Amino acid sequence: VTGVQTCAFRSKQWYQRRVRGVDPRYKELFNTIQENGSHLSHEDRKRHVTELRNREAYLMPSYHMISTTFADLHDTPQRMVAKGVIQEILDWETSREFFYWRVRRRVLENSLERKIKAANKKLEHGQIQSMIRRWFIEAKGPVMNYLWDDNRAVVEWLSSEEELQSVEENIKIIEKDCLLSKIDKLANQNEEVSFEAIVSLLHRMQPRHQEEVRKMLNAASSSKEESPE
């Protein structure tokens, strides 16, 4: 709270302007010194300055209380939850356990995110997080989607060998889709290069895969011939 108060009431000039607007006596003393200071005797000026400082000291506790209330309105845990700055308020007794599972979850999530990013560098952080959440809900079932907010449940999911196999399969699909997208883009850019690439790929394929490609090409060719113009 003290830090926020210091920022809100950081200068004497600011404080003086605010007090002058609400305290008639302070305003009167301040204006007397500012407007008539050169005409006042040394003793009168000293008396006015002393009274002004005493008035500041008298009013300061009230302004301190106001600034504290102002800071509380912004920085209380309840207010921070309401504004979405934090997700929840922790109890001191269980905070160590919470952060243990929270840190473990973040480590595992970050590791998984790096793998997904390696499979498709165009994916953003938000997209990857949504993807991981979808996989979790698919594994647990829609009824158990509330467990996504449970750090321990997510850690156990990311630590399970069975679940990790499923996650690895999903990453392979992402990588495959990314490669197919690149190939499709190259094919659209240059038809001649596309033909040469297909020929090169056919030579690299195993015989059974070559046969499957021939069947697909024949089916596509037949479909075009039969379609009305």
Side-chain angles (χ1 to χ4, degrees):
V1 173
T2 303
V4 176
Q5 289 172 252
T6 302
C7 292
F9 302 98
R10 59 187 176 275
S11 69
K12 185 177 181 181
Q13 290 76 15
W14 190 96
Y15 173 79
Q16 290 174 344
R17 286 198 301 271
R18 294 302 179 193
V19 175
R20 290 204 307 272
V22 296
D23 186 74
R25 181 54 182 162
Y26 187 93
K27 182 178 181 181
E28 178 185 353
L29 290 167
F30 186 87
N31 289 340
T32 299
I33 295 171
Q34 291 293 313
E35 297 172 3
N36 303 313
S38 59
H39 303 294
L40 295 173
S41 66
H42 177 73
E43 292 298 325
D44 286 341
R45 180 179 176 80
K46 183 177 180 181
R47 178 172 56 82
H48 279 76
V49 170
T50 301
E51 187 175 352
L52 184 70
R53 289 175 178 171
N54 290 338
R55 191 67 181 171
E56 285 181 358
Y58 171 76
L59 294 171
M60 183 58 76
S62 298
Y63 274 82
H64 183 274
M65 183 177 63
I66 293 170
S67 65
T68 301
T69 304
F70 172 83
D72 282 344
L73 290 174
H74 290 74
D75 285 352
T76 57
Q78 292 79 7
R79 185 60 181 165
M80 295 176 78
V81 169
K83 297 298 290 184
V85 178
I86 60 175
Q87 294 180 346
E88 61 181 299
I89 302 172
L90 300 181
D91 293 326
W92 177 255
E93 292 78 7
T94 58
S95 60
R96 182 186 293 271
E97 180 184 3
F98 172 87
F99 282 113
Y100 170 79
W101 291 110
R102 182 62 179 172
V103 170
R104 283 197 62 187
R105 172 179 179 166
R106 293 302 299 144
V107 169
L108 291 171
E109 282 184 335
N110 288 343
S111 176
L112 179 56
E113 183 170 343
R114 285 193 293 271
K115 291 181 181 179
I116 296 173
K117 193 75 173 177
N120 186 345
K121 291 181 172 58
K122 291 185 178 180
L123 292 174
E124 300 293 337
H125 173 73
Q127 294 174 299
I128 294 174
Q129 284 296 308
S130 298
M131 197 178 293
I132 296 173
R133 184 177 186 275
R134 187 178 72 249
W135 295 346
F136 177 83
I137 294 173
E138 288 174 354
K140 296 296 182 181
V143 179
M144 306 293 283
N145 63 356
Y146 67 91
L147 288 175
W148 177 251
D149 295 325
D150 187 329
N151 293 318
R152 182 169 184 171
V154 177
V155 168
E156 291 174 350
W157 173 64
L158 290 172
S159 302
S160 167
E161 290 187 9
E162 182 180 352
E163 298 295 350
L164 282 177
Q165 289 178 357
S166 177
V167 169
E168 291 294 338
E169 288 298 321
N170 288 331
I171 294 175
K172 288 179 181 178
I173 292 173
I174 293 172
E175 186 175 16
K176 183 182 73 173
D177 290 343
C178 181
L179 288 172
L180 289 174
S181 177
K182 290 179 180 178
I183 293 171
D184 187 60
K185 183 178 179 180
L186 289 172
N188 290 330
Q189 289 176 348
N190 192 313
E191 185 175 344
E192 184 177 343
V193 172
S194 302
F195 175 76
E196 292 179 0
I198 291 172
V199 173
S200 177
L201 288 171
L202 281 171
H203 286 305
R204 295 170 184 271
M205 289 180 183
Q206 297 179 5
R208 62 186 181 89
H209 289 153
Q210 291 177 351
E211 186 61 29
E212 289 179 7
V213 172
R214 290 191 183 96
K215 288 180 180 179
M216 292 173 62
L217 291 173
N218 289 333
S221 177
S222 300
S223 177
K224 285 185 178 181
E225 292 175 356
E226 293 175 0
S227 62
E229 295 184 2

